[in-house]
Amino acid sequence: MEQKKEIEKLYQKEKVAAEFDKERRKYKFQEYKHQIETSFLKKNILKFGKNEKIKVLDVACGTGRMLYSVNEANSSAEYHG
């Protein structure tokens, strides 16, 4: 259990998240993929209505890059990664 807490602390550090995102953006394909994913996500969240209470589970969320797109589409949505 202690090891799990240490790993969580490591991944929550800003420097680790920034490096992860920087590495991810290095490749044009990743940027294109991000645009497609966020477009798909926003479009489908909006089907529920702009202020509808919904929950979003982002499996394998990395640094939570989709949080901003979820919040843009529905600011009252619960986001869990």
Side-chain angles (χ1 to χ4, degrees):
M1 187 66 161
E2 191 62 36
Q3 184 181 15
K4 181 183 176 201
K5 287 180 184 179
E6 290 301 316
I7 291 170
E8 287 173 352
K9 283 182 189 177
L10 173 69
Y11 275 92
Q12 291 171 354
K13 289 184 179 179
E14 246 182 81
K15 184 178 178 183
V16 173
E19 195 60 37
F20 182 89
D21 286 340
K22 180 180 156 192
E23 194 62 30
R24 190 176 193 292
R25 286 189 200 105
K26 248 202 269 191
Y27 306 100
K28 289 290 180 193
F29 169 77
Q30 292 292 359
E31 185 60 36
Y32 176 72
K33 183 179 170 214
H34 177 73
Q35 291 172 359
I36 297 294
E37 290 170 341
T38 55
S39 174
F40 176 82
L41 182 62
K42 286 180 186 179
K43 182 174 135 184
N44 284 286
I45 287 174
L46 288 171
K47 288 180 181 179
F48 292 98
K50 187 102 172 123
N51 296 314
E52 189 73 25
K53 286 279 190 184
I54 63 169
K55 294 180 182 181
V56 176
L57 174 62
D58 186 355
V59 178
C61 66
T63 58
R65 66 186 169 85
M66 298 302 230
L67 172 62
Y68 303 107
S69 298
V70 170
N71 196 36
E72 277 182 1
N74 184 330
S75 59
S76 61
E78 284 185 45
Y79 177 87
H80 303 273

